Amino acid sequence: MPAPATWNSLRFTLGAALTITCLWLLARRVDSTELFRSLSATDLSWATVALVAYAAGYAVRIERWRQMLAYENPRLRWMACAGPFFAGYAANNLLPLRAGDVIRAFAFRRDLGATPGATVATLIIERLLDLLALLCLFGLALIYFGRSASPLLGGGVFTILLASILTILILKFPDVTFRLALSCAGLLRRISPKLGERVESEIHVGFAAVRKILSRQSSLRLLSLTTIIWAIEFLIFWFVALAIPMLSHPISSLLALPVGTLATLIPSTPGFVGTFEYPIVVAMTSTGNSAAAATAYALVVHAILAVPSVLLGTPYLISHHLRARVDVAAP
């Protein structure tokens, strides 16, 4: 069985290859002069409105995370969550292999007052809720645009339905996932008893948090917050579409949102460069927009989603690193 470092190297190599392929495919279908014209015509007022929507959406995301972590630390404040949250997103945009998720799970336990097991549980629930929302949006987009929207989406309805059912089952019956995780920890104990025991302990802590978080009342709150989050996310994509005058069908943003966001699940280089833009361009052009306008749209959306998190999260990452070094150096 390949070592973790080998898996990471293979994943990074695959991600780099996919990024290069996506950028090459984009370069083939887009005229650079037309792309420059589309970008230079961007309406900055609509782009500013999209940034305001970004701020509102991420404020709700942080509150959702705070509410999940509150089961471990009831006194946790919104501001204490904001720094680690943006630091994780910044790291995902700057470092390979979605390192930001690992950093958010393990690096800030003192700041959050939560154990790594509980924090990992919140990230798993966060991802599952977002996945469920994206699948629902994808289904709505397919219904609205029809199968003719793109050859890539032709058989997507059944796949989306199946994936949605599986996601709901995991959220509804976490004990099945718990038993599977314990089985994996048991296998790890055979290789490294001490590490396996530690992982098993964190699994118990994490799934205890999952059961509390997914209580009926809490689930309804989290689903409500998730609905608000993705409604605002659609507004971001919609406002950016309005900011690109050369887009003939701004409503295509309804398809671009789930397609582009789901594409970030595949291996890629830091920041999902290329693997985010190319699927969005395919979605936008399949509904009648020009390749140049669709590419300009994808670039502006990506900038609005990535740049603020890097600007907000990187200083927190640096300050946290410096504080950690001071703590280690202290007698």
Side-chain angles (χ1 to χ4, degrees), residues 86-145:
F86 279 115
Y89 272 72
N92 273 341
N93 281 296
L94 298 171
L95 302 174
L97 306 172
R98 297 192 76 95
D101 293 342
V102 178
I103 290 171
R104 187 148 67 108
F106 296 99
F108 304 114
R109 55 184 174 183
R110 287 176 61 182
D111 305 61
L112 299 170
T115 61
T119 308
V120 169
T122 65
L123 296 184
I124 292 171
I125 295 171
E126 180 182 280
R127 291 290 183 263
L128 288 172
L129 289 169
D130 288 343
L131 178 60
L132 182 60
L134 280 167
L135 291 171
C136 290
L137 282 169
F138 202 179
L140 285 173
L142 287 181
I143 292 169
Y144 183 85
F145 290 104

Side-chain angles (χ1 to χ4, degrees), residues 277-314:
E277 283 84 359
Y278 183 69
I280 287 180
V281 171
V282 171
M284 297 296 284
T285 54
S286 70
T287 53
N289 294 289
S290 70
T295 304
Y297 171 76
L299 290 171
V300 175
V301 166
H302 201 168
I304 285 176
L305 294 177
V307 173
S309 66
V310 171
L311 293 177
L312 293 168
T314 303

Side-chain angles (χ1 to χ4, degrees), residues 7-328:
W7 279 120
N8 287 340
S9 297
L10 288 171
R11 187 178 171 189
F12 180 76
T13 302
L14 176 60
L18 286 171
T19 293
I20 292 168
T21 302
C22 288
L23 292 175
W24 176 72
L25 290 170
L26 277 175
R28 281 188 63 194
R29 64 189 299 171
V30 178
D31 180 85
S32 58
T33 304
E34 289 298 313
L35 174 59
F36 179 76
R37 283 182 57 203
S38 296
L39 283 172
S40 60
T42 301
D43 187 333
L44 294 181
S45 60
W46 279 116
T48 303
V49 174
L51 280 171
V52 172
Y54 169 93
Y58 277 73
V60 182
R61 285 179 184 270
I62 293 166
E63 174 58 22
R64 182 182 63 176
W65 192 38
R66 188 202 67 78
Q67 289 194 17
M68 288 190 282
L69 287 168
Y71 286 94
E72 178 83 359
N73 178 9
R75 302 178 67 181
L76 185 63
R77 298 173 61 187
W78 188 91
M79 284 299 296
C81 289
F85 184 90
F86 279 115
Y89 272 72
N92 273 341
N93 281 296
L94 298 171
L95 302 174
L97 306 172
R98 297 192 76 95
D101 293 342
V102 178
I103 290 171
R104 187 148 67 108
F106 296 99
F108 304 114
R109 55 184 174 183
R110 287 176 61 182
D111 305 61
L112 299 170
T115 61
T119 308
V120 169
T122 65
L123 296 184
I124 292 171
I125 295 171
E126 180 182 280
R127 291 290 183 263
L128 288 172
L129 289 169
D130 288 343
L131 178 60
L132 182 60
L134 280 167
L135 291 171
C136 290
L137 282 169
F138 202 179
L140 285 173
L142 287 181
I143 292 169
Y144 183 85
F145 290 104
R147 287 191 176 188
S148 60
S150 169
L152 296 175
L153 307 178
V157 175
F158 176 76
T159 304
I160 290 167
L161 182 62
L162 180 62
S164 300
I165 291 171
L166 288 173
T167 306
I168 292 168
L169 287 175
I170 293 171
L171 286 168
K172 187 68 178 174
F173 304 106
D175 286 346
V176 176
T177 311
F178 173 61
R179 285 194 290 270
L180 180 62
L182 281 181
S183 298
C184 294
L187 292 173
L188 184 60
R189 287 185 74 166
R190 295 181 184 180
I191 302 169
S192 174
K194 189 172 288 188
L195 177 61
E197 186 177 337
R198 184 174 176 182
V199 168
E200 192 172 297
S201 173
E202 290 297 340
I203 288 171
H204 279 284
V205 171
F207 275 90
V210 167
R211 292 187 189 98
K212 291 178 182 178
I213 293 168
L214 292 179
S215 63
R216 179 173 295 183
Q217 185 178 3
S218 177
S219 294
L220 290 173
R221 276 202 312 271
L222 293 176
L223 284 171
S224 298
L225 289 172
T226 301
T227 302
I228 294 169
I229 285 165
W230 287 99
I232 295 174
E233 194 83 358
F234 167 68
L235 288 178
I236 295 171
F237 276 67
W238 170 250
F239 292 148
V240 174
L242 297 177
I244 308 295
M246 293 187 182
L247 279 178
S248 53
H249 302 286
I251 192 60
S252 303
S253 52
L254 177 63
L255 183 60
L257 167 57
V259 169
T261 309
L262 287 169
T264 63
L265 297 175
I266 65 176
S268 177
T269 52
F272 317 107
V273 175
T275 54
F276 179 79
E277 283 84 359
Y278 183 69
I280 287 180
V281 171
V282 171
M284 297 296 284
T285 54
S286 70
T287 53
N289 294 289
S290 70
T295 304
Y297 171 76
L299 290 171
V300 175
V301 166
H302 201 168
I304 285 176
L305 294 177
V307 173
S309 66
V310 171
L311 293 177
L312 293 168
T314 303
Y316 190 88
L317 268 176
I318 294 171
S319 65
H320 181 272
H321 177 68
L322 293 175
R323 279 187 282 123
R325 290 185 63 181
V326 169
D327 290 344
V328 169

